[in-house]
Amino acid sequence: EKGILIRGAEYLERAQKLTSVVFDKTGTLTIGSPSVRNIVALRGNEKEILRLAAIAERNSEHPLAEAIINEAKKKNIKIEEPDSFEAVPGHGVKIKYKKREILLGNRKLMLEHKIDNRVIENKLIKLEEQGKTAMILAENKNILGIIAVADTLKEHSIEAIKKLKEMGIEVILLTGDNEKTAKAIAKQVG
């Protein structure tokens, strides 16, 4: 009825001895369907930032890419095919588009390509402290803007964690997201 499968009685018996529970963030505590929450344009306008980000993410299968593509489609933005696409695991994406190199990703991707992100660091921190994943968009070594994406907490996440803590069980959040975003979500769910 609740979609829980228990393979045998021994697992129920062992469950009473649990001292810690580890939850993945995306799709477990959150609904797993992130959406674009903020677009910050440093050069150009928000529509152009979203358009270039959507082109960069067009061939990506990452859930954050899906959020950007969906937002662009919602705003009737044409998403052209990049000339080349490279996913950089744990960092972001790198494309060639009309003889321009475009990067969309985290600080590590920018650092790897010697792009100074100090001018936007305060903006990144503010977005991350709100539980958002902030991605930097750069073109030919220049930062164009930031796209912040966030997921929504599941309806019963806060209540479930509260009950586990009342039972004396340590609750741990596991995520591939950056530390500031992870701490913001952890704070929201208690």
Side-chain angles (χ1 to χ4, degrees), residues 12-181:
L12 281 176
E13 289 175 26
R14 288 168 65 191
Q16 71 181 349
K17 298 176 185 172
L18 284 176
T19 57
S20 301
V21 174
V22 179
F23 285 104
D24 181 34
K25 178 178 68 85
T26 306
T28 304
L29 295 177
T30 64
I31 60 173
S33 183
S35 60
V36 173
R37 302 290 173 90
N38 301 82
I39 300 172
V40 179
L42 283 113
R43 297 171 189 238
N45 58 46
E46 290 182 9
K47 187 174 181 180
E48 180 63 5
I49 299 301
L50 181 58
R51 185 180 81 84
L52 290 173
I55 291 168
E57 293 285 26
R58 181 181 167 134
N59 296 312
S60 177
E61 295 176 5
H62 198 282
L64 299 181
E66 189 178 331
I68 291 170
I69 299 290
N70 288 341
E71 185 69 16
K73 285 180 179 175
K74 227 185 330 186
K75 295 188 175 177
N76 296 315
I77 295 172
K78 185 180 178 195
I79 307 168
E80 297 175 62
E81 184 72 38
D83 301 320
S84 70
F85 170 85
E86 179 187 346
V88 185
H91 294 115
V93 296
K94 174 182 168 182
I95 68 163
K96 292 275 189 208
Y97 172 69
K98 295 187 177 179
K99 298 181 182 178
R100 300 180 290 185
E101 180 179 80
I102 296 174
L103 303 169
L104 179 64
N106 60 22
R107 291 172 182 87
K108 292 175 187 172
L109 184 67
M110 299 303 131
L111 185 65
E112 194 176 284
H113 289 272
K114 296 175 178 44
I115 298 172
D116 186 2
N117 66 319
R118 286 179 291 185
V119 293
I120 59 165
E121 188 60 26
N122 287 341
K123 287 181 173 70
L124 292 172
I125 290 169
K126 280 182 185 169
L127 292 166
E128 291 165 346
E129 286 173 344
Q130 295 168 14
K132 298 171 184 171
T133 301
M135 293 171 280
I136 305 162
L137 179 72
E139 174 189 75
N140 298 332
K141 305 276 186 198
N142 296 306
I143 294 177
L144 300 179
I146 304 166
I147 294 194
V149 176
D151 204 348
T152 305
L153 289 177
K154 282 187 177 177
E155 183 182 354
H156 300 291
S157 292
I158 295 170
E159 179 187 348
I161 288 172
K162 182 181 176 194
K163 284 183 179 179
L164 286 168
K165 289 175 91 175
E166 286 171 358
M167 294 166 63
I169 294 174
E170 177 187 27
V171 182
I172 299 164
L173 173 73
L174 181 70
T175 181
D177 221 324
N178 70 67
E179 188 175 350
K180 283 182 181 56
T181 302

